[in-house]
Amino acid sequence: MSIQLTDNVSPAARRDILDLEQKISSFRSGDIPDEAFRKFRLTRGVYGQRQPGVQMIRIKLPHGRITADQLIRIADLSDKYATGNLHATTRQDIQLHFVKLADSPQLWADLEDAGITLKEACGNTVRNVTGSARAGVDPTEPFDITPYAYAVFDYFLRNPICQDMGRKFKISLSSSEADSAYGYMHDVGLVPRIRDGKRGFKVMLGGGLGAQPFPAQTATEFLEEDQVIPFIEGVIRVFDRYGERVKRHKARMKYLLNDIGLDELLRRVDEERPALRVQSFQIPTNGENDVPATLPTFLSTLTDRSAVENTAKYQAWYKTNVFEQKQAGWYAVQLRVLLGDMHADTARALAQIVKQYAADDIRVTVNQGYLLRFVRPDNLPAVFQALDALGLAEPGFDTTADITTCPGTDTCNLAISSSYGITRALEQMMHDEFPDLVFNDDIKIKISGCMNGCGQHSVANIGYHGSSLKNGAYVLPALQVLLGGGFNGKGEGLIGDKVIKIPTKRGPDSLRLLLRDYEANGFDGEYYSDYYARQGKNYFYQLLKPLADLKTLVDTDYIDWDHTEQYVTEVGVGECASVLIDLVATTLTEAGEKLGWAREAFSESRWADALYHAYNVFITGAKAGLMSRDISTNTQHGIVSDFDKTFAGEVDFHKAEGDFKTLVFSLNKQEPSELFARQFIAQAEGFLQAIQAYRETQVIQEGAPHLQELSQAHDS
């Protein structure tokens, strides 16, 4: 069935969607190897699930911002193509699960019709740009970062410098010094500041989670607003050129920064300055503090407001889920959503509440909830009633009782144990035994199904990630306990310590011990991470050590949460069998595609883009040449250097060592122009023709190439 595309779908998105449809067809017919197709579909938001034959679709929502009609569209599409569930993520995306691969192009087309994209939601690209959900209404913000988040998102979407990096790249913008968007764990984290009457940002670089979490380093305390996008472009160019590309576990920017140091990284960023698409990028911010002109004028018809306002639940909800905006007389309402999951029917009903009572500007929050803006104070009781009927008025938004979690083994290939099950158990235990924790917003609890950190456990005051333990011949599900992350009393962002690993069924016991210990021994007003630092890691190890005693195991310890069968560790099922391919030929085909993109960008007068595509022709062609001689490299810079040495003196390429390197790296020695782009593309085309001819001669002389097997690798 052909894809139905409306006039609302942009030409760029239209081409992407049709390309996805064509690639799916080629993949099914065996014309595209699995690993190449996997790489392609990930950058289109299509991610393989733990269950074979179905996909998770990640919907990319810049800054988590969405309208009521867009929420309805996503809900309708979840009913049509998925399970009727909308899962909000810690990166302010919404995910749909159990989607058939064949349905993904039309699903994407229907999203684009509503102004929503999947492009670069996964894969080795610039992921969704996140930001403080309170931005624009935050009483403590120096200015609204919303237009800046959108500008960063737009600038790097489909930008050639970040289409095929060694690894993903994450950017966040916080609304104030509180850093509520966790800039300190991002590749680039921005915090707004005003200096001498000028707007700018504190810039942090090289943060990251995963098995080896790194806190970001401060690149500058103040960068003027018009320099933010040029600076980020320079950082991405450096990461693309020098970042690891073979050892996946070392391929994030945090490792590059750790290897070369901040001063050297910034020097290389400065070297890229001449080649940038723009030298200054001014972001329009008119009217950002204004009350929206399109707010509903509806006033609640609730006859007895006081009867609602005097209930204990309303009082708790008002205290924890509502705050007055910086626009005097207007209120924001925050929705606590268990596991980040919302049924499509609930989402549609929520959209109607927004249309009736709030601004058409819903924000998905980094703790998997939602935020509604510009609610009149007189309408708050009616909003509470409407939300309560949907189960969306539970008090305790972003408090200790509001746990952040990833889907874990419910859908993820990489998860080791259940995240959802332990989250439910911990929240129920706190509800029953520590009811006042709905008023505590100092302790944050976060859970991931594995060490990779989608639930952001490393930046929690109390964090857990899924694991396993061996007891003789048996394996049981486990939790790694991490403590001391998050923010301390000075507002500093910290990475948690791994303290101890315990059977997962003892998770509630561990949290109970930690909370009671803090109640008994913490100083008044002492932040939990400061308390952890004061007591020390060994104190907490000894506190929890009895729970790690495997001699006291019972039968239920061998069964994971939400399961009835005995636990076994599982590797996610591959999506198809391995295939045999000629890797050199495949790489040369890829270089040819990049040459086509360079020509197209040139025809549209996009000189900087054309140059970067041509640069990638050199990189990909040189990689193919090195592969033909069984020489492996791990960075783009290494590819150029090794090709320069290996092929020096071969007339078809360059006469002397250093010539090729000089040619390729001339990319950042001058400003992008029509003349330079025309010349550089012509040189890239000539180089590719020479490599292709060399390969043809090599095959004639040495015989047909050995076909190599590519098998399915995990998505991430």
Side-chain angles (χ1 to χ4, degrees):
M1 187 174 103
S2 61
I3 302 299
Q4 303 299 309
L5 295 159
T6 69
D7 293 340
N8 292 333
V9 181
S10 70
R14 182 180 299 264
R15 183 166 64 176
D16 283 338
I17 293 164
L18 294 175
D19 195 19
L20 176 60
E21 182 187 34
Q22 186 274 320
K23 288 289 197 300
I24 290 173
S25 176
S26 297
F27 171 66
R28 286 182 157 176
S29 62
D31 296 333
I32 300 178
D34 174 58
E35 183 64 17
F37 178 66
R38 172 183 168 273
K39 176 178 163 183
F40 172 85
R41 63 171 167 74
L42 282 173
T43 57
R44 276 79 182 167
V46 183
Y47 187 110
Q49 283 188 200
R50 191 180 193 89
Q51 297 81 4
V54 290
Q55 315 294 317
M56 177 269 283
I57 301 297
R58 181 174 293 151
I59 301 170
K60 194 176 185 184
L61 304 174
H63 197 186
R65 198 176 184 188
I66 191 171
T67 67
D69 284 339
Q70 287 175 332
L71 183 60
I72 292 170
R73 177 62 59 90
I74 294 171
D76 290 346
L77 293 174
S78 183
D79 277 341
K80 184 174 182 179
Y81 295 114
T83 61
N85 184 61
L86 286 67
H87 177 72
T89 77
T90 55
R91 297 209 57 75
Q92 297 175 288
D93 300 305
I94 290 177
Q95 293 178 173
L96 308 182
H97 292 91
F98 295 92
V99 176
K100 295 177 182 176
L101 180 62
D103 287 337
S104 57
Q106 186 62 60
L107 191 159
W108 187 1
D110 292 343
L111 287 169
E112 288 283 355
D113 176 65
I116 311 168
T117 193
L118 304 182
K119 182 69 170 177
E120 295 153 43
C122 309
N124 299 332
T125 60
V126 173
R127 298 288 185 88
N128 194 31
V129 176
T130 61
S132 300
R134 291 188 175 199
V137 299
D138 185 349
T140 66
E141 68 184 17
F143 56 86
D144 183 7
I145 56 92
T146 299
Y148 299 88
Y150 263 85
V152 172
F153 172 87
D154 287 338
Y155 188 86
F156 293 106
L157 186 69
R158 298 186 175 90
N159 193 312
I161 69 169
C162 50
Q163 295 306 296
D164 187 22
M165 298 186 291
R167 207 66 168 82
K168 57 192 173 184
F169 195 94
K170 298 181 177 180
I171 302 169
S172 79
L173 295 90
S174 288
S175 62
S176 71
E177 295 292 334
D179 194 19
S180 58
Y182 293 93
Y184 80 95
M185 67 173 201
H186 283 76
D187 296 291
V188 175
L190 303 172
V191 174
R193 289 178 172 174
I194 293 178
R195 179 178 291 181
D196 299 327
K198 295 181 179 179
R199 291 182 173 190
F201 291 86
K202 173 186 176 181
V203 182
M204 295 172 280
L205 292 178
L209 301 182
Q212 284 187 285
F214 283 48
Q217 299 181 39
T218 299
T220 176
E221 293 289 347
F222 188 81
L223 182 67
E224 290 194 20
E225 59 178 338
D226 70 308
Q227 293 302 303
V228 167
I229 282 178
F231 179 78
I232 297 174
E233 179 179 347
V235 171
I236 292 174
R237 282 172 171 260
V238 170
F239 174 57
D240 193 37
R241 187 161 305 133
Y242 296 98
E244 173 68 44
R245 287 174 174 268
V246 175
K247 300 173 183 175
R248 187 170 178 80
H249 63 288
K250 293 288 186 181
R252 291 297 300 274
M253 200 188 81
K254 61 187 179 182
Y255 295 108
L256 175 62
L257 175 58
N258 191 56
D259 288 344
I260 68 176
L262 181 60
D263 289 344
E264 175 62 16
L265 179 69
L266 294 178
R267 186 192 70 78
R268 295 183 188 183
V269 171
D270 192 56
E271 275 189 342
E272 297 297 318
R273 188 85 196 185
L276 301 182
R277 186 195 284 178
V278 295
Q279 296 296 315
S280 172
F281 195 102
Q282 196 68 45
I283 297 165
T285 57
N286 294 335
E288 64 183 34
N289 294 317
D290 297 342
V291 176
T294 57
L295 278 175
T297 58
F298 182 84
L299 291 176
S300 166
T301 58
L302 190 65
T303 55
D304 192 355
R305 289 180 52 206
S306 62
V308 176
E309 292 173 328
N310 291 331
T311 63
K313 185 172 184 180
Y314 179 88
Q315 291 294 321
W317 173 82
Y318 183 87
K319 184 174 182 179
T320 61
N321 294 27
V322 178
F323 66 91
E324 186 173 7
Q325 300 178 180
K326 71 178 184 181
Q327 296 85 1
W330 294 95
Y331 288 77
V333 174
Q334 301 166 118
L335 314 184
R336 178 181 169 190
V337 181
L338 177 64
L339 309 175
D341 285 344
M342 183 182 294
H343 192 275
D345 290 341
T346 304
R348 282 185 287 266
L350 173 61
Q352 297 308 315
I353 296 172
V354 172
K355 289 184 176 185
Q356 191 170 10
Y357 292 113
D360 194 15
D361 186 358
I362 307 164
R363 304 288 173 97
V364 180
T365 67
V366 295
N367 66 319
Q368 302 175 290
Y370 293 79
L371 185 146
L372 314 184
R373 305 146 70 84
F374 289 98
V375 177
R376 299 175 186 273
D378 290 346
N379 285 338
L380 285 171
V383 170
F384 167 78
Q385 276 197 329
L387 293 174
D388 197 31
L390 298 175
L392 295 177
E394 292 304 308
F397 175 86
D398 200 29
T399 63
T400 308
D402 186 10
I403 297 176
T404 300
T405 183
C406 72
T409 51
D410 278 36
T411 56
C412 181
N413 256 324
L414 301 179
I416 302 172
S417 63
S418 172
S419 302
Y420 275 9
I422 183 60
T423 298
R424 290 190 189 95
L426 294 182
E427 290 203 0
Q428 187 62 51
M429 185 275 292
M430 287 188 287
H431 178 272
D432 295 342
E433 301 179 31
F434 300 89
D436 288 344
L437 287 179
V438 296
F439 302 109
N440 185 324
D441 59 3
D442 291 334
I443 302 176
K444 300 293 193 295
I445 302 173
K446 300 178 185 289
I447 299 174
S448 301
C450 71
M451 67 182 69
N452 287 305
C454 293
Q456 302 177 344
H457 58 268
S458 295
V459 293
N461 307 108
I462 300 174
Y464 297 93
H465 80 68
S467 189
S468 62
L469 281 167
K470 286 201 72 175
N471 185 35
Y474 298 96
V475 180
L476 62 150
L479 290 171
Q480 175 68 58
V481 182
L482 298 93
L483 299 174
F487 295 99
N488 62 16
K490 298 178 182 177
E492 299 167 329
L494 306 172
I495 301 295
D497 290 335
K498 292 183 177 180
V499 174
I500 197 168
K501 189 186 291 188
I502 61 173
T504 191
K505 284 296 180 69
R506 299 177 182 182
D509 291 333
S510 72
L511 183 57
R512 184 181 294 110
L513 277 172
L514 292 169
L515 293 174
R516 286 178 176 168
D517 170 75
Y518 179 59
E519 283 182 347
N521 300 310
F523 297 152
D524 286 345
E526 186 175 26
Y527 279 69
Y528 191 84
S529 291
D530 291 330
Y531 173 64
Y532 171 79
R534 177 165 64 85
Q535 295 284 30
K537 179 178 176 178
N538 187 60
Y539 172 87
F540 291 93
Y541 174 80
Q542 296 299 332
L543 177 70
L544 298 176
K545 186 178 178 181
L547 298 180
D549 185 359
L550 300 187
K551 294 190 294 295
T552 59
L553 291 173
V554 295
D555 290 346
T556 54
D557 286 321
Y558 292 92
I559 300 172
D560 203 357
W561 294 101
D562 285 352
H563 290 260
T564 56
E565 74 284 359
Q566 184 167 321
Y567 173 81
V568 292
T569 53
E570 293 180 354
V571 175
V573 179
E575 296 171 41
C576 70
S578 58
V579 293
L580 296 175
I581 64 168
D582 178 355
L583 288 176
V584 177
T586 300
T587 305
L588 288 172
T589 298
E590 184 180 339
E593 290 177 350
K594 292 174 179 177
L595 180 61
W597 298 338
R599 290 170 176 158
E600 178 181 325
F602 184 85
S603 71
E604 297 173 353
S605 302
R606 294 186 285 116
W607 316 130
D609 292 357
L611 283 162
Y612 210 84
H613 283 310
Y615 161 77
N616 274 316
V617 174
F618 282 114
I619 295 296
T620 311
K623 179 181 177 181
L626 292 170
M627 289 167 63
S628 74
R629 297 192 180 183
D630 295 325
I631 298 172
S632 61
T633 55
N634 63 338
T635 67
Q636 287 187 347
H637 192 273
I639 288 171
V640 174
S641 298
D642 287 353
F643 187 91
D644 195 80
K645 295 175 185 176
T646 304
F647 287 86
E650 299 195 17
V651 178
D652 287 340
F653 302 113
H654 53 289
K655 295 180 181 179
E657 185 173 338
D659 288 351
F660 184 68
K661 184 183 292 187
T662 300
L663 169 61
V664 176
F665 292 147
S666 67
L667 172 75
N668 64 0
K669 300 300 186 291
Q670 56 185 296
E671 294 181 7
S673 65
E674 180 179 3
L675 179 61
F676 182 29
R678 178 181 286 111
Q679 175 186 343
F680 201 62
I681 291 171
Q683 290 168 322
E685 182 175 6
F687 172 72
L688 180 57
Q689 290 172 349
I691 282 288
Q692 289 168 332
Y694 160 77
R695 180 57 173 168
E696 290 172 4
T697 301
Q698 184 187 40
V699 170
I700 291 171
Q701 293 175 346
E702 300 179 10
H706 172 68
L707 298 183
Q708 299 193 36
E709 183 175 82
L710 285 185
S711 58
Q712 173 67 25
H714 288 309
D715 293 330
S716 61

